[in-house]
Amino acid sequence: MEEIEHKLVNVGALKLHIAEIGTGPNVVVFLHGFPEIWYSWRHQMIALASAGFRAIAPDFRGYGLSDSPPQPEKTNFSHLLHDLLAILDALSLSKVFIVGKDFGSRPAYLFSILHPERVLGVITLGVPYVPPRPALYDKVLPEGFYIFRWAVPGRAEADFGRFDAKTVVRNVYILFSKSEIPIADENQEIMDLVAPDTPLPSWFTEEDLATYGALYEKSGFRTALQVPYRSFGEDFNLSDPVVKVPALLIMGGKDYVFKFPGIEDLTKGEKAKEFVPNLEITFIPEGTHFVQEQFPEQVNQLILAFLAKHI
């Protein structure tokens, strides 16, 4: 971990933090999810650097050690795509592999569609490519569904505000490590779904939690709630929504995301390759939504095998 270097990249008026390790000619950029941060890729970054790759993991704007935008409530996925392009240009990286986890999968795939000349391949974990369309869960899942709750301005802020940042991250890690979608009752908030004495997942240490807690204590949750949870309806005006670069999807077999309407089709059926024709799919049977932290060696091997095929 001490070999990972940290720097700030100027993107417009913002300074965005990146963590970096390795000096190889082939570069892999890691995009985190929620409630994650660059640190969630620690195992993969070290393994790839040892294998001769240069690994870079930014904190999205408003996350971790990156500056928060002046108006977090106006931030959207297009800003993340702009930031990624600016980071590649600032570091003089002409072509990279992109690895995305959770909502980081969305900018990973979209960037490959909008800037295919800059992308050698895409790997995503926990979330498949979902082509632009109205969300299928809108008519299926109840009002207490966590995305519905967090999409309402002020509601998650009030819920999270009862606790320190470390406790919020702890609770979300516990919830997202389960196989069921977090859904609250009518008179209950999402944070109330986790009892105070619930243990952390065995693969997630108190030291890990302290690191996440300190980073979210700095950034807060304003931008994190805006992107992704209040930006899912954004229209990207894609003339062709097909992902043409080589792609790998890694899913934990016990990931709660499988319970989302339509996800089975996008991960196990022919529909998965309708929009990502060069897609490979791998399942880690005991894996949860945080499969890269839970089973780092298996994930590292899968990533390295994919990279070797497409260098």
Side-chain angles (χ1 to χ4, degrees):
M1 284 291 294
E2 61 274 4
E3 295 178 10
I4 296 177
E5 299 178 353
H6 299 268
K7 65 177 69 171
L8 296 174
V9 175
N10 292 314
V11 176
L14 301 179
K15 292 184 184 299
L16 301 185
H17 167 256
I18 65 167
E20 180 175 4
I21 187 172
T23 58
N26 297 298
V27 181
V28 183
V29 178
F30 292 90
L31 305 180
H32 65 79
F34 179 82
E36 293 154 292
I37 220 77
W38 76 265
Y39 181 81
S40 65
W41 297 113
R42 60 199 179 281
H43 304 297
Q44 287 68 49
M45 294 178 71
I46 293 168
L48 264 62
S50 297
F53 291 87
R54 182 180 175 189
I56 296 171
D59 289 337
F60 288 126
R61 58 169 62 197
Y63 280 81
L65 298 175
S66 290
D67 285 349
S68 292
Q71 296 178 293
E73 66 280 358
K74 293 188 176 180
T75 304
N76 56 32
F77 279 99
S78 292
H79 290 114
L80 306 191
L81 293 166
H82 166 270
D83 293 347
L84 178 54
L85 181 61
I87 289 170
L88 297 190
D89 289 344
L91 300 178
S92 301
L93 301 175
S94 60
K95 208 162 190 177
V96 300
F97 290 96
I98 301 177
V99 183
K101 157 80 198 316
D102 186 65
F103 85 83
S105 299
R106 194 175 211 194
Y109 283 124
L110 289 171
F111 193 85
S112 78
I113 293 172
L114 296 169
H115 305 284
E117 75 286 353
R118 306 295 293 269
V119 181
L120 289 163
V122 171
I123 302 172
T124 64
L125 298 85
V127 174
Y129 177 58
V130 180
R133 65 186 185 193
L136 296 180
Y137 53 68
D138 280 355
K139 298 177 181 178
V140 177
L141 294 173
E143 176 273 337
F145 174 44
Y146 77 98
I147 289 181
F148 293 160
R149 290 290 184 86
W150 292 351
V152 177
R155 182 148 193 176
E157 287 87 340
D159 184 13
F160 291 5
R162 298 177 293 154
F163 308 94
D164 60 19
K166 180 179 173 181
T167 302
V168 173
V169 173
R170 169 189 172 276
N171 289 352
V172 178
Y173 252 84
I174 290 170
L175 286 173
F176 284 5
S177 296
K178 298 180 178 181
S179 298
E180 299 297 325
I181 297 173
I183 296 174
D185 293 333
E186 184 177 351
N187 297 315
Q188 184 184 42
E189 298 301 329
I190 298 298
M191 290 293 101
D192 299 328
L193 294 173
V194 182
D197 59 351
T198 305
L200 287 170
S202 60
W203 41 265
F204 193 68
T205 69
E206 288 290 343
E207 182 182 2
D208 294 333
L209 178 58
T211 299
Y212 281 103
L215 291 168
Y216 275 98
E217 196 69 49
K218 176 201 171 292
S219 66
F221 294 96
R222 286 183 68 191
T223 308
L225 288 166
Q226 176 64 28
V227 182
Y229 299 104
R230 297 167 189 168
S231 303
F232 281 131
E234 185 177 351
D235 185 359
F236 300 96
N237 296 312
L238 300 177
S239 58
D240 182 1
V242 174
V243 176
K244 296 185 173 66
V245 302
L248 169 66
L249 171 64
I250 302 171
M251 294 291 297
K254 295 185 176 181
D255 195 326
Y256 76 93
V257 170
F258 279 121
K259 302 293 173 60
F260 280 50
I263 292 299
E264 287 273 348
D265 287 341
L266 296 174
T267 55
K268 297 181 179 178
E270 285 302 310
K271 196 175 283 287
K273 294 195 174 185
E274 183 180 336
F275 290 96
V276 193
N278 298 311
L279 177 67
E280 301 174 45
I281 305 172
T282 299
F283 300 94
I284 296 178
E286 295 301 309
T288 65
H289 192 57
F290 300 103
V291 69
Q292 89 280 15
E293 294 181 273
Q294 183 184 10
F295 294 110
E297 291 185 7
Q298 286 179 251
V299 170
N300 295 346
Q301 290 171 5
L302 291 169
I303 290 175
L304 287 167
F306 176 84
L307 298 177
K309 284 191 287 188
H310 298 290
I311 292 174

